[in-house]
Every structure is written in C-alpha cells, then in structure tokens.
C-alpha cells in the first residue's frame, strides 16, 4: 500500500468522524444542524486558504 | 486493499447520516466531504513538495488547481447559505456542481503517479452523481 495513502488515512478518517459527530449532534438540536454544517464547511475552506497562503509565501513566483 | 479502506468509510458515513435529513443537510454534508478531500490532497502535496518527493512544477500545478477548486467551494458555500436563508430554487448551486466536478478532474489529471491511488479512494466518497440527484429534487 503506497505510503501516501497511509499518510492520508488519519486525516480522511478524522474528517469523516468529525462530520458524523456534527450530524449526530445536529440531529439532537435540529435548529442548529444546518448552521453547524455550514460553519464546518467554512472552517475547512479557511484551512485550505491558510495552507495555500503558507505555500505561496514559501514558494514566491 | 483499496476496497477494504473504502467499505468501512462508506458504511460509517451512510449509517450515521440521518435518513430523514433535509436535502440541504445532505448537500452540505457532500460539500464537507469534498472539501475534506481537497484539504487532504493539499496537505499531502505540501508534504511531498517539502521532501522533494514530487517535482516543484507538479506541486505548483496541483496547488493552483486546489486553489481554483477552493474558490469554487466558497461559491458553493455561499449558494448553500442563500438557499438556506431565502429558500430559493438552488439554481446557483446546481450551476456550480459541474464546475466543481471539472475542478476536481483538473486536480486528478495533475496528480503524480504516487498520488493517483489516493485519488481513487477519495473519488469513492466524493460522489458527484449522488450530489446531482439530491439537488435535482429542488
């Protein structure tokens, strides 16, 4: 099994578990559910943005 | 080996997601899965670039494609918010999905061989066909 897959798995599984936790929590508080999901999506988008900014800082041009 | 990884992920995902969840929740859930995949590809690209395991030109191309997909995801997020707030017909979101699919295809085509297997795993649960079906009922 390629090392890349092994490296990716913890992150992928953590992401899935996080999402499932949010869904389960949301199902107990229906009014907060969709807003919680949107907040999670936005936090992931912000993470990708932050990584991108860091990479561009280290790789100008 | 791939199937052994995919099966628990799929079972976990579909067994835990509420069966009666509103369409908007399911669509947002799909968006989160896609964004999680994007974040993972990006993190791995940066790590492989740091260790010199992939050529700089490949890393740059991948990072550019990931950035483009992330910009589309920002629009998807906005479309979901509009949909949630104004209960519109979701037309913007529907229009964005093919663009996002193209963005992901561009990422796939720029992956080096040592990352292709990872994309095969990711594609199993970034399910665009399911996403289209969900939005089709709007």
């Amino acid at each position: 099994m390629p090392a890349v897959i092994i490296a990716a798995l913890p992150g992928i599984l953590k992401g899935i578990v996080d999402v499932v936790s949010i869904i389960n929590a949301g199902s107990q508080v229906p009014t907060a559910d969709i807003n919680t999901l949107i907040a999670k999506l936005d936090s992931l988008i912000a993470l990708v943005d932050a990584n991108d900014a860091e990479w561009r800082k280290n790789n100008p041009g | 080996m791939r199937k052994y990884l995919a099966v628990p992920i799929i079972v976990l995902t579909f067994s835990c997601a509420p069966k009666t969840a509103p369409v908007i929740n399911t669509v947002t859930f799909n968006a989160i899965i896609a964004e999680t995949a994007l974040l993972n590809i990006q993190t791995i690209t940066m790590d492989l670039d740091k260790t010199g395991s992939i050529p700089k030109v490949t890393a740059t191309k991948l990072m550019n494609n990931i950035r483009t997909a992330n910009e589309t995801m920002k629009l998807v997020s906005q479309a979901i918010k509009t949909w949630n707030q104004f209960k519109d017909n979701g037309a913007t979101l529907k229009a964005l999905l093919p663009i996002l699919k193209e963005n992901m295809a561009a990422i796939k085509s720029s992956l080096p061989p040592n990352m292709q297997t990872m994309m095969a795993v990711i594609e199993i649960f970034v399910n665009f066909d399911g996403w289209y079906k969900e939005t089709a009922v709007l």
Side-chain angles (χ1 to χ4, degrees):
Chain A
M1 189 154 114
V4 170
I5 299 296
I6 295 168
L9 271 178
I12 293 171
L13 290 174
K14 187 181 180 306
I16 297 285
V17 170
D18 282 352
V19 169
V20 167
S21 309
I22 288 167
I23 297 263
N24 285 339
S27 63
Q28 289 161 13
V29 189
T31 51
D33 192 20
I34 185 61
N35 290 328
T36 308
L37 286 173
I38 291 172
K40 176 67 181 176
L41 177 61
D42 282 344
S43 72
L44 287 167
I45 289 171
L47 272 176
V48 173
D49 251 353
N51 281 343
D52 188 64
E54 184 198 329
W55 192 84
R56 281 171 206 287
K57 189 179 158 192
N58 296 331
N59 298 274
Chain B
M1 190 64 185
R2 197 182 307 157
K3 65 183 174 186
Y4 299 121
L5 297 175
V7 168
I9 289 171
I10 290 168
V11 168
L12 181 69
T13 303
F14 290 98
S15 64
C16 295
K19 302 291 183 289
T20 56
V23 172
I24 191 168
N25 291 41
T26 312
V27 168
T28 310
F29 179 81
N30 282 329
I32 291 172
I33 296 287
E35 188 65 23
T36 304
L38 209 56
L39 179 61
N40 277 284
I41 296 169
Q42 185 192 47
T43 308
I44 292 164
T45 302
M46 291 170 74
D47 286 346
L48 291 177
D49 176 56
K50 267 184 199 161
T51 57
S53 303
I54 55 173
K56 182 62 77 182
V57 66
T58 304
T60 303
K61 195 173 179 184
L62 259 172
M63 290 300 288
N64 286 341
N65 287 338
I66 289 165
R67 186 186 221 186
T68 304
N70 202 44
E71 292 303 313
T72 307
M73 284 303 299
K74 286 178 190 174
L75 297 174
V76 167
S77 172
Q78 191 54 53
I80 290 171
K81 285 171 194 158
T82 305
W83 181 17
N84 185 42
Q85 191 174 353
F86 301 109
K87 312 294 178 205
D88 66 356
N89 62 4
T92 310
L93 183 63
K94 285 182 194 174
L96 285 169
L97 291 183
I99 298 170
L100 190 60
K101 194 174 184 179
E102 277 180 25
N103 293 159
M104 293 301 271
I107 291 171
K108 186 182 177 184
S109 69
S110 53
L111 285 174
N114 56 352
M115 290 177 75
Q116 287 287 350
T117 314
M118 178 193 66
M119 192 65 187
V121 175
I122 284 171
E123 277 184 328
I124 292 169
F125 55 97
V126 179
N127 178 7
F128 281 105
D129 290 337
W131 212 346
Y132 290 139
K133 271 187 201 163
E134 290 292 343
T135 56
V137 302
L138 295 175

